[in-house]
Amino acid sequence: MAAKFPNRRVLVTMGNNDVPEHWAVPDRRWYEQLYPGWSKLVLCHSCPKDRFGDVENVNEAEFNSTFLMGGFYKVRVTPHLDFLMLNTLYWASYAWRSTKPWRPEIRTIADEQMAWVKTNLDQAAQNGRRVVLVGHVPPGLDPFRKVTTGKSRQFWFDNYTNEFLQVMDTHNNIVAGQIFAHLHKDDFHVFAGPSNTPQAALLLPSVSPIYQNNPAFRWMYFSVESNQWLLADYTQYYTDYVYSNVMGKVTWQKDYTFSENYPSEERSITGARLSALWEGVLQDIDMWQKYAKHRQVRFANTLSSYSRYHLYCIAHSPTLSVYTQCRQKYPYDPSS
């Protein structure tokens, strides 16, 4: 990455395939091994002076402390916008079960990371900054498990899920966005905290095509209104996996731009906007077909294997109990 994108800061997050054993939470020795490569990307001492002025993008001492402890860190992208790069393996139940032998410090670091999120959001609120949170494994449920086993699996523990929703709810006015991945699909979730305010989370598709999706990446656009940074739009690009293999070369092309594909009077991607979008997907067959096509990044016609009601409930359910209640309201499942 450093060779391909010289003098460019690259922000990376820890996922379930970035560890020595699949899903297992690593210890400090692993972060020490990753540090030379990852710190070169994030700290980027060779990067040119920030175009927003003399901004200290990364506090190196703070980065060293949190990254070597648990693989998470903060980057100040502009004077008014921070990125919190999370390691959500610490909150994931499957990661805990996959870590053998069990180490008590995993729970300690999980709690410290949550406290770190709260502290940074409090500080951002006091100083008029907005924050984007980025992680690999999202809160909510695994949509694949329903199809393969008949049961949905919750990614995070209840306590961390509920605490995260509470924190996002408290700081809803300064959270510019939540970005996750892991599912290899183009999706968006709308969870609600204690105040029932919808919270927007974008799930990015993957470059890997192993789960029946074309490889894809995004350009994300931010706008500024009264020094408030807003996640305004994105354009997604993809390559036709089958065609690329037949022709022996990769050609990237535009998939869609969010504002063009899902027009709205709102100027940014908010929980309210995604909530309205999901109601359209649920009620309008044309909107549903458009959503399903992009979910696989145009890989194949997958409508026959998708349940609109299952995915609607997945998108609105941070926990298994909420999903169960949603499916009682929308019980029909053509994929079962």
Side-chain angles (χ1 to χ4, degrees):
M1 292 288 286
K4 187 67 175 178
F5 301 102
N7 303 323
R8 291 292 184 269
R9 195 180 311 279
V10 179
L11 309 185
V12 284
T13 58
M14 192 74 60
N16 55 294
N17 293 116
D18 300 317
V19 290
E21 296 181 31
H22 189 219
W23 273 106
V25 181
D27 59 19
R28 184 183 177 92
R29 291 173 298 177
W30 180 244
Y31 300 126
E32 290 174 345
Q33 291 181 50
L34 290 180
Y35 183 85
W38 283 39
S39 63
K40 184 177 182 180
L41 295 172
V42 177
L43 298 176
C44 193
H45 294 301
S46 63
C47 284
K49 184 177 180 180
D50 195 287
R51 69 185 181 91
F52 297 99
D54 189 15
V55 178
E56 183 185 24
N57 295 96
V58 187
N59 182 309
E60 189 166 349
E62 180 183 325
F63 173 82
N64 293 344
S65 175
T66 59
F67 181 83
L68 292 173
M69 174 176 65
F72 56 94
Y73 58 94
K74 178 178 73 175
V75 174
R76 179 144 301 152
V77 180
T78 81
H80 299 286
L81 182 66
D82 292 344
F83 271 54
L84 299 185
M85 310 301 292
L86 310 174
N87 184 353
T88 56
L89 289 179
Y90 282 99
W91 302 331
S93 58
Y94 194 71
W96 284 34
R97 292 196 299 271
S98 300
T99 306
K100 297 179 174 53
W102 168 251
R103 304 189 312 277
E105 72 267 16
I106 293 175
R107 179 180 284 107
T108 301
I109 297 173
D111 293 341
E112 289 191 16
Q113 181 178 211
M114 188 68 74
W116 174 84
V117 169
K118 294 178 185 178
T119 298
N120 278 282
L121 289 173
D122 286 340
Q123 292 174 352
Q126 293 168 9
N127 293 287
R129 294 193 299 272
R130 303 203 82 206
V131 178
V132 175
L133 297 99
V134 184
H136 184 75
V137 180
L141 306 183
D142 183 347
F144 297 113
R145 295 277 293 185
K146 176 66 177 179
V147 176
T148 58
T149 68
K151 298 179 180 180
S152 292
R153 182 179 71 193
Q154 186 172 314
F155 284 129
W156 295 7
F157 288 104
D158 273 346
N159 61 316
Y160 294 119
T161 300
N162 293 329
E163 190 171 3
F164 185 79
L165 290 177
Q166 172 71 70
V167 174
M168 295 301 101
D169 196 69
T170 301
H171 296 284
N172 188 59
N173 62 323
I174 66 161
V175 174
Q178 298 178 43
I179 301 172
F180 295 100
H182 184 62
L183 298 178
H184 293 238
K185 306 299 180 192
D186 174 355
D187 216 338
F188 35 85
H189 288 176
V190 188
F191 298 153
S195 72
N196 209 34
T197 301
Q199 304 170 8
L202 297 178
L203 275 70
L204 277 59
S206 66
V207 174
S208 166
I210 63 173
Y211 288 108
Q212 295 186 324
N213 58 280
N214 280 317
F217 67 90
R218 287 180 182 174
W219 285 106
M220 308 195 79
Y221 307 109
F222 288 82
S223 63
V224 185
E225 296 181 8
S226 303
N227 284 332
Q228 295 295 305
W229 284 72
L230 308 174
L231 178 53
D233 208 353
Y234 65 78
T235 298
Q236 187 159 289
Y237 297 87
Y238 80 104
T239 185
D240 187 311
Y241 172 68
V242 175
Y243 179 81
S244 296
N245 277 278
V246 171
M247 301 304 294
K249 66 176 182 178
V250 174
T251 302
W252 293 96
Q253 55 191 311
K254 179 180 175 180
D255 185 10
Y256 71 98
T257 295
F258 182 83
S259 61
E260 297 171 353
N261 216 40
Y262 306 114
S264 170
E265 293 182 357
E266 292 200 40
R267 295 193 298 270
S268 61
I269 301 174
T270 64
R273 182 174 179 178
L274 293 187
S275 182
L277 175 55
W278 258 113
E279 293 306 313
V281 170
L282 184 67
Q283 299 170 22
D284 185 276
I285 186 62
D286 292 333
M287 184 74 77
W288 159 243
Q289 290 176 342
K290 181 188 295 186
Y291 161 81
K293 176 181 70 174
H294 290 299
R295 190 173 190 272
Q296 298 284 118
V297 196
R298 301 174 185 257
F299 182 76
N301 183 4
T302 57
L303 287 176
S304 60
S305 63
Y306 275 1
S307 163
R308 194 184 325 187
Y309 311 102
H310 168 60
L311 292 177
Y312 175 89
C313 290
I314 286 286
H316 290 79
S317 302
T319 63
L320 189 56
S321 60
V322 176
Y323 174 82
T324 301
Q325 294 172 10
C326 182
R327 288 316 304 269
Q328 290 172 352
K329 184 177 181 180
Y330 301 104
Y332 176 62
D333 192 341
S335 66
S336 61

